[in-house]
Amino acid sequence: MRQTHRTLRVRTQGYGTHEFTGEVRAWLDSIDGEDGLVSLFIRHTSASLTIMENADPDVMRDLSAFLARLAPEDGPYIHDAEGPDDMPAHLKTALTQTHLSIPVIGGRLGLGTWQGIWLLEHRAAAHERAVVMHFIGE
């Protein structure tokens, strides 16, 4: 049994979704991970992670629109220290995920045919986001 980790930097352009399945696969290949578990953790409170369909881009557009309706910028928020998108970004993160676990089977991510790993950027401005990738296994 072994463990290893790396921090992946993902540059965003503001609101939107960014698939990074390929980067996780490339890292897994580089460490020769065969069987185990990959954990992904985003080190932010205004961006999040999800596993979602990667075949039709309308899925991610609909998800983004849904989250925008749940946490609109013009809501009655007390916390607005960094602007009108600040508290809605925190709410969207709370409603989604900051940590994912994906099985590794025979050197491959155990994702379904149409599943991809996505970063959801909940802020209007561009950011560089840090995602800690951790592998435990053989």
Side-chain angles (χ1 to χ4, degrees), residues 45-82:
T45 61
S46 58
S48 58
L49 304 173
T50 194
I51 294 174
M52 188 59 63
E53 178 179 328
N54 62 1
D56 183 350
D58 287 343
V59 172
M60 296 312 289
R61 283 193 279 274
D62 285 342
L63 178 60
S64 294
F66 175 74
L67 290 171
R69 287 191 305 273
L70 285 179
E73 285 191 13
D74 61 354
Y77 309 118
I78 297 168
H79 176 73
D80 63 359
E82 296 177 32

Side-chain angles (χ1 to χ4, degrees), residues 32 62 123 131:
D32 295 322
D62 285 342
R123 296 300 305 269
V131 178

Side-chain angles (χ1 to χ4, degrees), residues 81-94:
E82 296 177 32
D85 66 334
D86 192 19
M87 191 61 211
H90 295 310
L91 293 172
K92 292 170 189 174
T93 298

Side-chain angles (χ1 to χ4, degrees), residues 3-4 17 39 50 78 83 99 102 118 132:
Q3 296 187 57
T4 188
T17 59
S39 296
T50 194
I78 297 168
H99 177 264
I102 304 163
W118 296 83
V132 177

